[in-house]
Amino acid sequence: MPVPGPGYAITARVEVPASASAAGDLTMAVGRVGGVVTAFDVVEAATSTLVVDISCNALNEAHAQEITEALEALPGVTVRKVSDRTFLLHLGGKLEVTSKVSLRNRDDLSRAYTPGVARVCQAIAANPEDARRLTIKRNTVAVVTDGSAVLGLGNIGAAAAMPVMEGKAALFKRFAGVDAWPVCLDTQDTEEIIRTVQVLAPAYGGINLEDIAAPRCFEIEARLREMLDIPVFHDDQHGTAVVVLAALRNALRVVGKKPADCRIVVCGVGAAGSAIIRLLKSKQGSSTPGDLLAVDIDGIVYRGRPGLDENLTWMAENTNIHGQQGTLADALVGADVFIGVSAPNLFGAAELATMAPDAIVFALANPDPEVDPALALQHAAVVATGRSDYPNQINNVLAFPGVFRGLLDAQARDITDAMLLAASAAIADVVPEPNASFIVPSVFDSTLAPAVAEAVRSAASGRT
């Protein structure tokens, strides 16, 4: 079951009678309704009263309200104000621009701006490649979205996508020193998005496409890759695929199975699922499974199934070697690995019991996985989710900061399967001795991003 976490943290400022039991009474009231107290601070003290800030983790907004009501129900207690700590963190946004150079006097100004800057402009005009050396292009990524597929929230639009893109930019900076900036486009027209990114591209060393719905995202990425001289990376596709393959590599080590001997079921054939399958099937990879089934809302994908679009046609031609038909439940019978990037609560104990011994279950739908992780742990040898309250969180932040650090350092003009597979292997290798509860490193492992960056740089230069 989910546990209270910092995503729904509140701080309640309460006035209480001054007594020896005040702290205990407040803490017990929060605990009785399932909240978790994380901080307790006295902010005012008088002869008969205390004003206290009590910070708590909750399950959701309704639970936060329940905690507030439990505090208000205590005799003599007045709740003055309740602050949502997540919203407080976002006040005014999460990013700012900071100059890398000091402007202390006229000499500094003359070099950073006019007249000196004109010489640098002329040098770039004469040799456009110098833009990578003499401007922020060498270390800057555009995080581009149209707001059509944001997290699990769906099509919420460009403005509502901003907090996610700001967070993504903050992660780039924190984990790899990359300067990233949100580019939230108020259009969901494919041609308009492509043209807009094309005309913005000279300012950036890479493009990170984010939260753009399938199948539109496939065409946008493919065409931008053809027309731009900088790497274009759709994180919902390739970031997810890189981390999933890293986790799968270590999970298979834990259960002692080889990819070629495994039957893998991928549920969800949108952006993430398609990229996972394509990378598993990459001719440059060494992890090709013995059998691979793609499953979508209409069941197992097979050749000749009515209504296949271009993406699903490719899937049908490159998976399901035995031409199996049926439902997700049918696909799971005898499967060694389940990888879900689809929808919540699709199956349960009965289907888990039909999988092969020492099965691996990656239930990555967020916030609610395809199968209850606690239930999966009763049947499978290794379980991973996209959540932070269970072991083995499959999180794209394991990949994209280091990937772009390597791409920018190599001044790469594109991104290849060889680079993605190198990044995946580097992530896996950060965990030298994986076990069932530890198949991917912590995002805060200081060796992670440098290892991924070096792997991508080596692949970009053709080194092994």
Side-chain angles (χ1 to χ4, degrees):
M1 294 293 292
V3 297
Y8 290 99
I10 61 171
T11 296
R13 176 158 292 188
V14 297
E15 184 177 323
V16 301
S19 69
S21 65
D25 292 342
L26 293 171
T27 302
M28 289 179 63
V30 173
R32 277 194 296 269
V33 294
V36 176
V37 175
T38 58
F40 189 96
D41 300 291
V42 177
V43 294
E44 294 179 21
T47 304
S48 59
T49 61
L50 296 173
V51 177
V52 173
D53 281 351
I54 182 166
S55 298
C56 319
N57 287 348
L59 290 168
N60 48 46
E61 291 181 4
H63 189 213
Q65 180 61 33
E66 188 179 358
I67 292 171
T68 302
E69 292 170 355
L71 293 171
E72 288 178 325
L74 292 173
V77 171
T78 301
V79 177
R80 291 186 176 180
K81 183 180 182 180
V82 178
S83 300
D84 186 313
R85 298 181 67 194
T86 296
F87 277 79
L88 288 176
L89 183 144
H90 286 259
L91 281 177
K94 302 185 291 293
L95 304 175
E96 65 179 7
V97 174
T98 301
S99 176
K100 293 166 64 177
V101 298
S102 298
L103 300 176
R104 298 161 298 183
N105 50 47
R106 288 179 179 273
D107 286 355
D108 291 341
L109 191 61
S110 294
R111 285 188 288 267
Y113 200 53
T114 59
V117 72
R119 296 174 52 221
V120 182
C121 295
Q122 289 172 322
I124 294 171
N127 181 18
E129 277 299 304
D130 276 351
R132 293 178 183 264
R133 185 172 63 90
L134 296 172
T135 74
I136 60 172
K137 184 182 182 78
R138 70 182 295 173
N139 195 53
T140 305
V141 169
V143 183
V144 178
T145 188
D146 65 355
S148 60
V150 180
L151 302 178
L153 304 174
N155 188 355
I156 61 175
M162 272 291 288
V164 178
M165 303 310 124
E166 286 184 14
K168 195 69 176 275
L171 294 172
F172 268 112
K173 188 66 172 180
R174 165 64 177 81
F175 293 110
V178 172
D179 296 313
W181 195 255
V183 180
C184 297
L185 304 179
D186 192 16
T187 177
Q188 295 181 0
D189 178 83
T190 297
E191 297 301 326
E192 214 170 12
I193 293 170
I194 291 170
R195 178 57 181 158
T196 301
V197 175
Q198 181 186 20
V199 298
L200 288 172
Y204 298 96
I207 304 294
N208 184 106
L209 300 176
E210 190 80 17
D211 292 348
I212 299 174
R216 183 168 62 252
C217 60
F218 302 132
E219 181 180 358
I220 290 171
E221 182 201 32
R223 288 176 55 190
L224 285 173
R225 282 189 171 195
E226 289 177 0
M227 64 177 56
L228 299 183
D229 65 349
I230 56 176
V232 179
F233 180 87
H234 185 200
D235 190 45
D236 301 308
Q237 291 185 66
H238 307 301
T240 303
V242 165
V243 180
V244 166
L245 262 65
L248 180 59
R249 175 178 169 179
N250 281 346
L252 290 173
R253 289 173 60 193
V254 171
V255 299
K257 295 182 180 181
K258 296 179 179 179
D261 299 327
C262 288
R263 185 179 184 207
I264 298 177
V265 174
V266 178
C267 181
V269 199
S274 297
I276 291 167
I277 291 170
R278 289 174 187 272
L279 202 56
L280 279 168
K281 297 289 292 183
S282 171
K283 294 178 180 179
Q284 301 194 42
S286 58
S287 300
T288 303
D291 193 12
L292 180 59
L293 293 180
V295 181
D296 67 2
I297 194 170
D298 295 317
I300 299 171
V301 178
Y302 60 90
R303 290 191 183 194
R305 198 184 83 175
L308 296 182
D309 61 19
E310 183 179 352
N311 178 54
L312 289 176
T313 298
W314 188 96
M315 295 296 155
E317 292 173 349
N318 290 275
T319 65
N320 196 0
I321 57 177
H322 300 297
Q324 183 176 350
Q325 301 180 27
T327 65
L328 172 60
D330 296 320
L332 287 172
V333 177
D336 297 278
V337 179
F338 168 81
I339 300 171
V341 280
S342 51
N345 305 314
L346 296 182
F347 63 98
E351 292 81 7
L352 286 164
T354 69
M355 296 182 69
D358 293 323
I360 296 167
V361 172
F362 291 178
L364 307 182
N366 251 331
D368 299 314
E370 287 82 357
V371 61
D372 182 346
L375 185 63
L377 285 165
Q378 297 175 24
H379 294 268
V382 181
V383 176
T385 72
R387 300 176 59 110
S388 61
D389 51 353
Y390 288 98
N392 300 325
Q393 182 187 20
I394 306 298
N395 191 326
N396 287 15
V397 74
L398 293 168
F400 69 79
V403 167
F404 269 99
R405 178 74 280 151
L407 292 170
L408 292 168
D409 290 349
Q411 296 190 12
R413 295 178 177 273
D414 59 8
I415 185 165
T416 65
D417 282 354
M419 297 177 196
L420 297 177
L421 291 165
S424 182
I427 294 169
D429 289 344
V430 173
V431 183
E433 297 182 7
N435 60 57
S437 297
F438 186 47
I439 57 172
V440 290
S442 165
V443 298
F444 294 101
D445 188 321
S446 61
T447 67
L448 174 62
V452 174
E454 175 55 31
V456 171
R457 280 194 297 269
S458 296
S461 65
R463 289 180 282 139
T464 58

